[in-house]
Structures are given as C-alpha cells and as structure tokens.
C-alpha cells in the first residue's frame, strides 16, 4: 500500500463516518501526524492532498519543515507533543498552531516570544480526559485560567481544544473522553465568547477517529494508518 492509497482508504472511512453522523466531510480536517516520518514520505502525503501536518518534537519539526515549508506552500504545521519551556521560542517561530498547551508557565513563555512572529500564534488548550494520559489541564477551572492568560496577549489566538483519548479498545471509555472535551468547549464558549475562539476540536487518532467524528471532532490527528505500510 502506498501512502496515497492509505489516504484514499482513510478518506473513505472519514466520509462514511461523516455520513453516518449527518455531518459534512468538509467540516473535518485531516492532519497527517508526521513524527518519525522522513521528508520524502511527508511529500508523498502532501501530493496526495494533505495540507495540515503535526509533529511532536520541535527539533525534529524544524529539521524537516524548515525546508519543506518552502517546497510545500500553504502547509499548516502544528505542534502536538508536550513542549518544554526552553523550546517555546523555537516553537513559537516555527509552527502555525500549538495544540499541546497544557500549563500556564508554557503560556507565559509563548506570550514572551509570539511578538517575534508575523501573525498571531494559534493555541489549542489540551485537556486531560483519560486516567492514563499524562498531559493536559486537569479541570475546567484550569482551562478558564489558561484562557484568561492567552486572551491577554494580542499575539496569541485561541482556536479551540485538544485531547487524547486513552489507548484502549473500549469504545465507551474513548467516547467518554471525547464527550468531556465537547462539554468543556460548551462551557468555554459561554464564559469566553466569541464561539470562534473554541471552534477547533482536535480529537481522534488512528484507532479512534470514527468515534471522534461521531462525537463532533473537526480535526483528526492521524499518523500510523497514513504512514505505516498496511497489509
Ligand atoms: C502520535 C500522535 C498522534 C497520531 O497517532 P496515531 O495513532 O499514529 O494516528 C495523534 N496525536 C498525538 C498527540 C500524538 O502524539
């Protein structure tokens, strides 16, 4: 299976899941998670139509995308892995959106460095919705406080929320994790309008993206089933 064929299969599954959920395909963005994936394969995914990529580590992202960004115009690069404070500056200058904003100290660093950018840096706040996941804000109060910090800065732009469901085959557990994110979105929309600040719901990976679509995700972060050889 080539990467283009993998993507075609995933597209079919996304379309089916959207149809079942009564949603339109164009409501949902497919991000290619390209951590550990070499540049040549990222280009293949780009030529097969992927325009949104996610990387976990700043250094790896810089090594690959400093060059790729010139060759692949209109690519949007997202950081989805936990970010250390000492990498915040490099991240703020490199990516379009940081989806893994999980603590206030990190926001304070991003406030410092985002003025060096041409446009505001997009921010998704990460919510911890599963017992065994380590990263993310732990409570709604935590998210409220983080939102206030982000909104103080003209150079940061709140765009929504991100979560990782627990790695399990129990679809009820996964579903409950996604519902927590949807509920948090509703509360944040009320407290911190306008709604656009919270429009992005980044949830769903290779093993759970169909459930995520049912639960309202509009950004799928998919690595394995795009880039790994399929039988
Ligand atoms: C690796 C990763 C993904 C992609 O996971 P797959 O199971 O390979 O699709 C999505 N989100 C985050 C935060 C990741 O670290």
């Amino acid at each position: 299976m080539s990467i283009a064929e993998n993507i075609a299969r995933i597209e079919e599954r996304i379309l089916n899941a959207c149809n079942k959920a009564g949603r339109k395909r164009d409501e949902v963005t497919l991000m290619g998670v390209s951590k550990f994936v070499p540049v040549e394969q990222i280009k293949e995914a780009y030529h097969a139509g992927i325009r949104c990529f996610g990387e976990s580590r700043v250094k790896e992202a810089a090594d690959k995308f400093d060059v790729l960004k010139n060759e692949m115009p209109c690519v949007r690069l997202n950081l989805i892995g936990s970010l250390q404070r000492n990498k915040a500056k490099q991240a703020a200058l490199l990516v379009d959106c940081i989806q893994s904003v999980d603590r206030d100290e990190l926001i304070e660093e991003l406030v410092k460095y985002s003025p060096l950018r041409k446009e505001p840096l997009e921010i998704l706040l990460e919510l911890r919705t599963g017992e065994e996941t380590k990263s993310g804000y732990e409570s709604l109060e935590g998210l409220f406080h983080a939102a206030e910090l982000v909104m103080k800065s003209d150079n940061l732009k709140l765009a929504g929320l991100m979560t990782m469901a627990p790695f399990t085959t129990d679809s009820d557990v996964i579903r409950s994790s996604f519902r927590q994110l949807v509920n948090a979105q509703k509360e944040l929309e009320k407290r911190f309008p306008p709604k656009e600040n919270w429009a992005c719901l980044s949830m769903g990976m290779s093993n759970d993206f169909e459930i995520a679509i049912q639960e309202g995700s509009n950004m799928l972060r998919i690595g394995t089933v795009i880039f790994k050889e399929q039988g």
Side-chain angles (χ1 to χ4, degrees):
M1 277 284 189
S2 69
I3 286 170
E5 285 168 316
N6 288 344
I7 291 171
R9 277 195 182 181
I10 296 161
E11 276 296 337
E12 207 175 290
R13 288 173 59 188
I14 294 174
L15 185 62
N16 281 335
C18 284
N19 287 342
K20 268 197 204 155
R23 303 183 60 197
K24 298 205 187 82
R25 169 64 189 90
D26 66 8
E27 289 172 29
V28 183
T29 301
L30 171 57
M31 174 200 296
V33 174
S34 50
K35 64 187 181 204
F36 313 132
V37 172
V39 162
E40 280 315 308
Q41 292 183 23
I42 296 175
K43 286 187 199 170
E44 274 183 63
Y46 177 81
H47 290 301
I50 304 288
R51 291 293 176 272
C52 175
F53 290 92
E55 287 281 342
S56 281
R57 295 179 190 166
V58 182
K59 183 180 182 303
E60 184 186 343
D63 288 346
K64 295 189 298 194
F65 279 86
D66 273 343
V67 181
L68 278 174
K69 278 203 149 189
N70 294 324
E71 289 178 39
M72 312 187 311
C74 41
V75 154
R76 274 184 59 81
L77 181 59
N78 300 269
L79 190 72
I80 60 171
S82 71
L83 175 57
Q84 291 168 283
R85 271 164 67 157
N86 62 2
K87 303 274 172 56
K89 180 179 180 185
Q90 195 184 4
L93 291 173
L94 177 71
V95 306
D96 300 293
C97 174
I98 301 182
Q99 302 210 341
S100 42
V101 175
D102 60 356
R103 58 203 195 283
D104 293 353
E105 306 88 81
L106 178 58
I107 298 174
E108 281 155 13
E109 292 301 294
L110 296 172
V111 167
K112 260 193 249 172
Y113 299 115
S114 53
L116 304 170
R117 296 169 55 88
K118 289 198 202 85
E119 304 120 34
L121 175 65
E122 275 194 16
I123 297 290
L124 301 189
L125 299 178
E126 181 176 358
L127 180 63
R128 180 168 173 261
T129 57
E131 289 291 308
E132 69 261 42
T133 39
K134 290 159 289 178
S135 52
Y137 282 95
E138 307 256 339
S139 68
L140 202 53
E141 286 66 38
L143 290 177
F144 283 172
H145 190 253
E148 279 168 0
L149 286 180
V150 174
M151 291 171 86
K152 271 194 224 160
S153 164
D154 291 336
N155 302 297
L156 298 178
K157 185 177 181 297
L158 268 175
L161 297 170
M162 186 270 253
T163 200
M164 264 170 101
F167 192 76
T168 169
T169 51
D170 185 339
S171 59
D172 290 338
V173 171
I174 293 169
R175 203 178 291 284
S176 126
S177 158
F178 293 154
R179 286 189 179 170
Q180 285 178 57
L181 198 68
V182 173
N183 288 333
Q185 182 193 40
K186 286 184 186 140
E187 295 301 322
L188 287 155
E189 281 174 353
K190 270 191 262 169
R191 181 109 166 204
F192 301 102
K195 274 192 171 188
E196 296 84 77
N197 286 348
W198 307 102
C200 184
L201 269 187
S202 174
M203 56 189 204
M205 304 172 28
S206 290
N207 62 319
D208 58 20
F209 69 86
E210 278 132 331
I211 301 173
I213 290 171
Q214 279 183 357
E215 297 301 326
S217 169
N218 53 24
M219 176 155 307
L220 309 173
R221 306 182 310 270
I222 299 188
T224 309
V225 291
I226 293 181
F227 292 108
K228 283 261 167 66
E229 299 263 332
Q230 309 287 307

